[in-house]
Amino acid sequence: TSLFVGSVRCVLRDRHSNMVHEGNYTLVYDFGGGTFDVSILHKEGNAIYSGGRDIGGYDITMKIAERLWTDAIGQYLDNTEESGEYDDIDELEDLCDELIDSFPNQMHPMANHILYQRAEELKENLSAPKDRENIVFYIDGKKHIETIAFDAERLNRIHNDVLFYVSQTIEESKKLLESQGLHIQDISN
């Protein structure tokens, strides 16, 4: 049994095909670019069988989008309270709570699309993000744009959100091993 970090496609290419030996199990762990897949390959004759679980890049992107969304709405609330634009702060807080709760299914379609794109870009560039990002949302049909600065605290929160999914990949790998009647000790380099 062997462990390979990379994609199943890479393992099956000629240069790695010797990693899958007759009767052995190869665990393929692929986490990168915002996606995660884990598979166990088993060779019998000329056939290679695969079983796997995945945590898609969509999950990670949506977690980042949710963080951007709640930060933008919170910043809007703070800025609006300071400006005195609303007379009834309780009404404003309720409105902002509704906006946060609208994520993602009840958001304005254009705001949802733009937010998803921004989150996808941020996910791909977590090690070197832009200094700031514009988040678009609508209140009573009026377009609002909040510029979110990526300070160390905000980036740490986003990294922690992503690390949650890394821990999920470990759990999913264990579940896959168990479903195949294998244990982590069965995997060796």
Side-chain angles (χ1 to χ4, degrees), residues 62 66 69-70 73 94-109 111-112 115 136-139:
M62 290 308 290
E66 181 181 15
W69 182 247
T70 56
I73 301 302
D94 290 343
L95 182 59
C96 287
D97 286 343
E98 287 176 24
L99 278 171
I100 289 171
D101 291 342
S102 72
F103 178 85
N105 298 326
Q106 298 169 345
M107 291 173 60
H108 186 283
N112 193 341
L115 180 66
V136 177
F137 56 96
Y138 294 81
I139 297 177

Side-chain angles (χ1 to χ4, degrees), residues 39-176:
S39 298
I40 294 178
L41 303 179
H42 181 72
K43 184 175 183 181
E44 292 180 14
N46 289 331
I48 297 178
Y49 300 95
S50 172
R53 300 175 179 270
D54 65 307
I55 298 174
Y58 178 80
D59 299 323
I60 296 169
T61 302
M62 290 308 290
K63 189 63 179 175
I64 292 171
E66 181 181 15
R67 173 67 62 196
L68 293 174
W69 182 247
T70 56
D71 286 358
I73 301 302
Q75 184 171 302
Y76 170 77
L77 177 62
D78 292 345
N79 292 341
T80 306
E81 283 178 347
E82 287 176 16
S83 72
E85 185 179 326
Y86 270 83
D87 294 331
D88 187 348
I89 296 301
D90 290 335
E91 180 182 328
L92 177 63
E93 287 175 352
D94 290 343
L95 182 59
C96 287
D97 286 343
E98 287 176 24
L99 278 171
I100 289 171
D101 291 342
S102 72
F103 178 85
N105 298 326
Q106 298 169 345
M107 291 173 60
H108 186 283
M110 184 55 74
N112 193 341
H113 175 73
I114 291 169
L115 180 66
Y116 186 84
Q117 284 182 319
R118 297 298 182 269
E120 186 71 27
E121 290 167 9
L122 181 59
K123 178 182 73 178
E124 292 173 5
N125 298 301
L126 271 178
S127 59
K130 297 177 185 176
D131 290 339
R132 52 191 73 252
E133 190 66 66
N134 292 327
I135 306 300
V136 177
F137 56 96
Y138 294 81
I139 297 177
D140 297 330
K142 184 179 173 192
K143 182 178 178 179
H144 295 272
I145 299 175
E146 283 295 322
T147 300
I148 301 295
F150 290 114
D151 57 11
E153 182 181 337
R154 179 166 285 120
L155 284 173
N156 281 336
R157 286 197 311 262
I158 291 171
H159 282 113
N160 286 338
D161 291 342
V162 172
L163 286 176
F164 166 77
Y165 285 102
V166 172
S167 68
Q168 292 284 100
T169 68
I170 294 167
E171 290 306 312
E172 289 298 319
S173 297
K174 288 178 183 177
K175 288 178 187 175
L176 179 60

